[in-house]
Amino acid sequence: MYKIIDGRKISSEIKLEITAEVNILRATGKRVPHLAAILIGHEGSAETYVALKVKDCNEVGFNSTLLRFENDISEAELLAKISELNSDNDIDSFIVQLPLPDHISENKVIEAIDPKKDADGFHPVNIGKMVIGLPGYLPATPFGIVELIKRYRIETSGKNCVVIGRSNIVGRPVSILLSRKGMDATVTVVHSRSNNVKDIVGNADIIIAAIGSPAYVTAEMVRDGAVVIDVGTTRLVSSETKSGYKLVGDVDFVNVAPKCSYITPVPGGVGPMTRVSLLRNTLIAAKKK
């Protein structure tokens, strides 16, 4: 029988740990951490995600600031606002919620963020530190995935791990983290141009599905006893929910789960861990100051 990797449960445990540290900061007269977020436009999933981040901050005792802009904000205006946040000593870290409007360069925005305030861990300086094993802010979703694996005591040393997807936000960084000393997995990355994906995934002890394609991973692709981490969060129209939408993952959960030793659900798996990783990065930033 498979076991559910419960991201909500683990993130709640980590929030309690963070809250205890915030209470110590407050008791010793130090300033509590402050996380800011920039949200552009009114896309539904982004709105929901940022609202949850604000809620998370309240739960652990952080200060939070949400800065809203319309889709017609210019790239220059956004870069100026990022510069303001970089210089604001009251802000420990911040995020710019992705995706951005087409007229704004995602790379320019990421590179404009002060690496010391990079809650998402996307800045090239922090990615570089991760690659060579120096302390820095880790990308939030990969950080959360690795923490789930550690807290469920899933063995990674010498295991065959296949990452499906090569994005700079999830696929590439999680492949690096899993292959670093201490995790010691043998990692293969497959993507839209890979050949024999079914055969490669079928040999995996651990599968990280992060390709953004609903139900891409089917039961015939998964070996018995595999660990499956589903990073996918595609929002589909649904008549079954009040919102009219439902989140679905990259894994055909109903048919894949019976073959697994461990599997994450969607929602409730990786998502809460991404958000709590932002809190962890912000706490680290505040303590460094």
Side-chain angles (χ1 to χ4, degrees):
M1 181 64 181
Y2 64 88
K3 294 180 181 178
I4 292 290
I5 299 175
D6 190 342
R8 290 192 178 105
K9 174 177 175 288
I10 299 300
S11 68
S12 294
E13 291 173 3
I14 295 172
K15 283 180 188 175
L16 291 176
E17 295 165 10
I18 293 172
T19 302
E21 293 207 46
V22 172
N23 289 339
I24 291 169
L25 290 174
R26 189 180 285 112
T28 54
K30 295 176 181 174
R31 191 173 55 79
V32 301
H34 189 164
L35 173 64
I38 292 176
L39 176 62
I40 299 170
H42 303 277
E43 197 275 324
S45 58
E47 289 268 9
T48 300
Y49 195 54
V50 170
L52 288 169
K53 289 170 183 173
V54 172
K55 179 173 175 284
D56 291 337
C57 286
N58 293 335
E59 283 182 23
V60 299
F62 283 13
N63 292 325
S64 66
T65 297
L66 174 56
L67 302 169
R68 289 178 169 272
F69 300 95
E70 295 302 319
N71 276 315
D72 61 358
I73 184 174
S74 71
E75 184 177 270
E77 288 171 319
L78 178 56
L79 293 174
K81 177 54 65 175
I82 289 170
S83 181
E84 281 181 33
L85 293 179
N86 285 339
S87 302
D88 187 340
N89 288 328
D90 190 52
I91 303 291
D92 295 299
S93 71
F94 64 96
I95 65 153
V96 179
Q97 182 64 41
L98 303 178
L100 298 172
D102 290 341
H103 65 279
I104 297 176
S105 166
E106 187 174 294
N107 285 338
K108 276 188 185 177
V109 167
I110 290 170
E111 290 176 26
I113 296 170
D114 184 340
K116 297 189 293 293
K117 293 191 173 189
D118 177 25
D120 266 326
F122 294 160
H123 193 282
V125 167
N126 287 317
I127 295 295
K129 287 181 174 180
M130 177 193 69
V131 169
I132 61 176
L134 291 176
Y137 304 110
L138 297 176
T141 298
F143 191 4
I145 291 168
V146 169
E147 194 63 27
L148 277 179
I149 289 170
K150 287 179 177 178
R151 297 212 178 205
Y152 273 85
R153 300 186 178 183
I154 294 168
E155 183 59 66
T156 56
S157 181
K159 297 298 183 181
N160 184 15
C161 176
V162 174
V163 178
I164 308 173
R166 56 180 170 179
S167 75
N168 292 331
I169 292 172
V170 182
R172 288 192 190 281
V174 80
S175 72
I176 293 165
L177 289 177
L178 288 167
S179 65
R180 290 203 312 188
K181 287 183 179 178
M183 299 300 287
D184 301 308
T186 301
V187 183
T188 304
V189 178
V190 298
H191 46 78
S192 59
R193 302 290 182 184
S194 298
N195 294 322
N196 304 318
V197 170
K198 179 180 172 183
D199 293 338
I200 296 168
V201 175
N203 286 320
D205 301 305
I206 301 169
I207 300 166
I208 313 288
I211 202 167
S213 179
Y216 177 87
V217 178
T218 60
E220 63 183 4
M221 297 169 69
V222 179
R223 72 192 294 180
D224 289 339
V227 175
V228 175
I229 309 289
D230 190 351
V231 188
T233 51
T234 302
R235 200 163 173 253
L236 298 180
V237 174
S238 173
S239 59
E240 302 168 13
T241 62
K242 285 184 180 179
S243 67
Y245 295 91
K246 67 176 180 179
L247 280 184
V248 297
D250 289 352
V251 176
D252 177 10
F253 183 91
V254 171
N255 294 306
V256 169
K259 299 186 73 174
C260 298
S261 55
Y262 291 89
I263 187 170
T264 59
V266 175
V270 173
M273 295 300 296
T274 298
R275 299 192 336 252
V276 85
S277 296
L278 295 174
L279 300 180
R280 294 179 80 182
N281 279 340
T282 301
L283 179 62
I284 292 166
K287 290 171 77 173
K288 281 185 176 180
K289 289 172 85 172

